[in-house]
Amino acid sequence: MSRPREDRAGGAGSPAGSGPAARHTDDPAVGPARHLGSVGRMPRWLKIGTAVVSILLIGVIAFGAYWAIRLQSNITKASLGAGSDKTESALDNSRDRMQILILGSDTRDGKNSQYGGADDSTGYGHSDVMMLMDISADNKRVNVVSFPRDLLVDIPKCIDQKTKQAFPAQKDVMINAAMSEAGIGCAVDTVNKLTGLEIDHFMMADFNSVKELSNTVGGVDVCISDAVYDPDSGLRLPKGTSKVEGEQALAFLRARHAFADGGDLGRIRAQQAFLSSLVRKIRDDGTLGNPAKTLQIADVVTRNLTIDEGLASVPTLLTVANRLKNIDVSKVAFVAVPTVPAVSDVNRLEPAEPAASQLFAAMRKDIDLTDPTATPSPSVSPDVSAAPSAEPTPSEVATTYDKAVQPVTVANGSGVPARPQEIIQTLTAGGFTQLARLAAPPVAATAVYFGAGYDAVARDVAALLGIPAARVLPAAGVNGVQVYLGSDPVGGTASKDAAVDLPSDIVNQTAGDVVCQQANPALITP
């Protein structure tokens, strides 16, 4: 027997036979007419189909939610800077030019404890790998610039964003120690200071990430000229091409003595060759077009990754990955900062001038390093590629320093022996008397380079000599100010779109090049 349905007010519902359908018959007890009842029924096949679609839809939503939550929970975040002021406008991660500092940490805790004790890495650890990935606004090219970990640089004052402890600025410190006291943000600030750029994001991975990622993609092909064994890293490879994964992939990237002359530059070239091979592997296997494989890689990467807050969401990471998936591998350029043995310590490196400053200037101008004569790609946002300190404008304000004690060197790269004397006379007449000269390799364009704290002096020197402000450049290896004379007449102006004067061998390789590493003769095995 049916019970009356309760309405929202708590009373009895309408009789079953009442309502519009019941009006088709004079007898309320009969119910609705037959032809109206058929409209209310759903065919069996449609019911089954609807149920299946509903189950699939719920499954897809649940699957997507599971992976979104899992990947998001994997992510570890840290501050992008360590107290430096940001001058650029907010970045559109999907459309703007983007620079990401990629770091490999040598921290020996957790899963990395097998690679040494806690004493092997202090504080936040050192950056075992440091690369700056620069993605163009049109997504047509990528520059990847490696910084040798033995490179001596000036580290700015940094504040640990967790403890708020301040650390004073340091001079002539290995760049891999920049993050050891105040964290990753200090490494970002140091690279900003060195290059004149303003980095948008960072990604830091540890030893374990290399092993897991190489396993996930099924190994990476590498090549070496001779059979080699490096006891420090554990790398053992036969002559020719080998597929490395897991521990051997990590050993290949960590090996410091296995390549070239056993120095850091040989290690950098090997790392770049590994990444080039990894890029080709992912492209040729269609990995980014395979959702299951992409999720596997995303899971591996996010489990072992520390990134800044602006990048720390799954949608943002997917946006960056989507920008990279269709780039021509021949337009992925791998570069190393030009260096020479440091004057203060021949076992360390310092930027080679003018090549290093020319590289940084080309990066600030968003130049295609594989084709420096090409027109720079248009940016969607206003041009903010150059930091204000990197492209100074001559000031009309009276100087507040003593010109007579400012160190100014004239480096003669003009090929004309008498040229420096002309410049020295002009500088002396302008009040600069602390002058020196030196011979230098020939260059085409005259430029003024300055060390930390000498930017105002450099601006005035350039204005006195009629050198365009665009050619006044910071240089970590310069003490004071250096006027590097080129074959052009001082006082001439350079076209805004003029080709950047870069060394012809500035690009080590592109991701499309298959390069075989030269084995260190001291470690070659039979």
Side-chain angles (χ1 to χ4, degrees):
M1 178 177 175
S2 299
R3 298 179 59 189
R5 186 178 56 193
E6 295 183 355
D7 62 14
R8 292 182 182 178
S14 301
S18 65
R23 287 196 295 269
H24 287 268
T25 175
D26 294 333
D27 186 358
V30 173
R34 184 178 298 274
H35 69 278
L36 290 176
S38 63
V39 173
R41 295 196 185 105
M42 182 182 292
R44 182 176 179 82
W45 65 268
L46 186 56
K47 289 182 179 179
I48 296 174
T50 301
V52 170
V53 170
S54 299
I55 293 171
L56 289 175
L57 183 59
I58 292 171
V60 168
I61 294 172
F63 179 79
Y66 164 78
W67 275 104
I69 294 171
R70 173 167 173 164
L71 295 179
Q72 190 67 51
S73 64
N74 285 345
I75 295 173
T76 302
K77 296 181 290 186
S79 297
L80 178 62
S84 62
D85 294 327
K86 187 170 179 61
T87 61
E88 295 181 356
S89 57
L91 179 75
D92 184 336
N93 289 305
S94 63
R95 305 174 63 195
D96 289 341
R97 181 188 178 197
M98 179 187 294
Q99 287 121 16
I100 303 175
L101 186 65
I102 300 173
L103 302 164
S105 170
D106 70 352
T107 303
R108 265 78 171 185
D109 58 2
K111 296 178 181 178
N112 300 309
S113 58
Q114 61 181 298
Y115 303 108
D119 293 339
D120 293 325
S121 61
T122 58
Y124 287 96
H126 292 69
S127 53
D128 206 45
V129 176
M130 181 180 283
M131 297 179 175
L132 180 57
M133 181 170 67
D134 187 358
I135 307 171
S136 66
D138 59 8
N139 298 334
K140 290 184 177 179
R141 54 186 169 80
V142 175
N143 295 324
V144 181
V145 180
S146 294
F147 298 82
R149 63 182 184 179
D150 290 343
L151 181 65
L152 297 180
V153 298
D154 294 340
I155 297 177
K157 176 183 176 181
C158 291
I159 300 173
D160 186 329
Q161 297 301 293
K162 289 184 178 179
T163 66
K164 301 306 177 183
Q165 180 180 357
F167 295 88
Q170 304 175 68
K171 293 183 68 66
D172 291 335
V173 180
M174 285 173 56
I175 197 169
N176 75 330
M179 72 178 201
S180 61
E181 294 181 331
I184 305 170
C186 193
V188 173
D189 288 353
T190 298
V191 175
N192 285 342
K193 178 180 176 65
L194 177 65
T195 62
L197 295 167
E198 193 164 294
I199 293 169
D200 303 303
H201 298 298
F202 72 78
M203 296 180 176
M204 187 180 76
D206 58 19
F207 295 144
N208 196 61
S209 63
V210 176
K211 294 191 300 182
E212 292 193 15
L213 180 59
S214 61
N215 287 334
T216 301
V217 300
V220 177
D221 289 337
V222 297
C223 178
I224 193 164
S225 63
D226 299 273
V228 68
Y229 173 59
D230 178 7
D232 289 341
S233 66
L235 178 68
R236 185 187 296 275
L237 288 176
K239 177 180 179 179
T241 301
S242 303
K243 188 183 296 293
V244 295
E245 55 186 307
E247 289 290 349
Q248 278 295 84
L250 177 59
F252 187 88
L253 291 175
R254 292 185 64 213
R256 184 173 176 82
H257 307 297
F259 312 109
D261 62 357
D264 206 22
L265 298 181
R267 178 173 176 265
I268 281 177
R269 288 181 179 270
Q271 291 171 347
Q272 293 177 341
F274 180 94
L275 291 177
S276 296
S277 182
L278 177 61
V279 169
R280 294 193 301 273
K281 171 85 173 179
I282 291 175
R283 182 203 61 179
D284 295 343
D285 289 355
T287 300
L288 295 180
N290 182 332
K293 199 72 171 178
T294 300
L295 285 175
Q296 278 185 285
I297 292 177
D299 191 33
V300 168
V301 170
T302 53
R303 282 204 311 268
N304 300 281
L305 197 66
T306 300
I307 53 184
D308 63 279
E309 288 94 337
L311 202 57
S313 73
V314 174
T316 303
L317 289 173
L318 291 176
T319 295
V320 176
N322 189 59
R323 293 184 62 170
L324 295 171
K325 70 179 183 180
N326 293 322
I327 292 178
D328 183 348
V329 291
S330 68
K331 287 298 182 181
V332 180
F334 288 93
V335 178
V337 173
T339 58
V340 293
V343 174
S344 59
D345 184 349
V346 295
N347 295 313
R348 299 290 179 257
L349 300 169
E350 64 184 22
E353 297 299 352
S357 291
Q358 289 169 343
L359 169 63
F360 300 147
M363 293 172 66
R364 290 193 296 271
K365 294 180 180 180
D366 195 17
I367 298 298
D368 181 354
L369 298 182
T370 64
D371 183 10
T373 62
T375 302
S377 303
S379 297
V380 175
S381 296
D383 182 11
V384 291
S385 61
S389 62
E391 298 277 328
T393 301
S395 174
E396 300 299 328
V397 179
T399 58
T400 57
Y401 59 85
D402 184 358
K403 289 184 178 181
V405 299
Q406 306 306 315
V408 180
T409 303
V410 179
N412 188 15
S414 69
V416 180
R419 186 84 182 282
Q421 187 58 36
E422 300 170 3
I423 301 301
I424 286 175
Q425 289 176 352
T426 303
L427 290 171
T428 302
F432 294 96
T433 58
Q434 184 86 12
L435 303 172
R437 69 174 75 186
L438 55 87
V443 294
T446 298
V448 176
Y449 300 102
F450 62 90
Y454 288 91
D455 49 339
V457 181
R459 288 197 296 269
D460 290 336
V461 166
L464 184 63
L465 298 175
I467 298 171
R471 292 196 228 157
V472 181
L473 307 168
V478 170
N479 178 29
V481 174
Q482 181 185 104
V483 180
Y484 198 115
L485 295 175
S487 58
D488 60 329
V490 169
T493 57
S495 167
K496 181 180 179 181
D497 297 324
V500 175
D501 188 15
L502 280 169
S504 58
D505 60 350
I506 193 68
V507 176
N508 288 340
Q509 69 176 90
T510 71
D513 299 329
V514 179
V515 178
C516 208
Q517 303 307 304
Q518 180 63 47
N520 181 357
L523 297 181
I524 292 176
T525 61

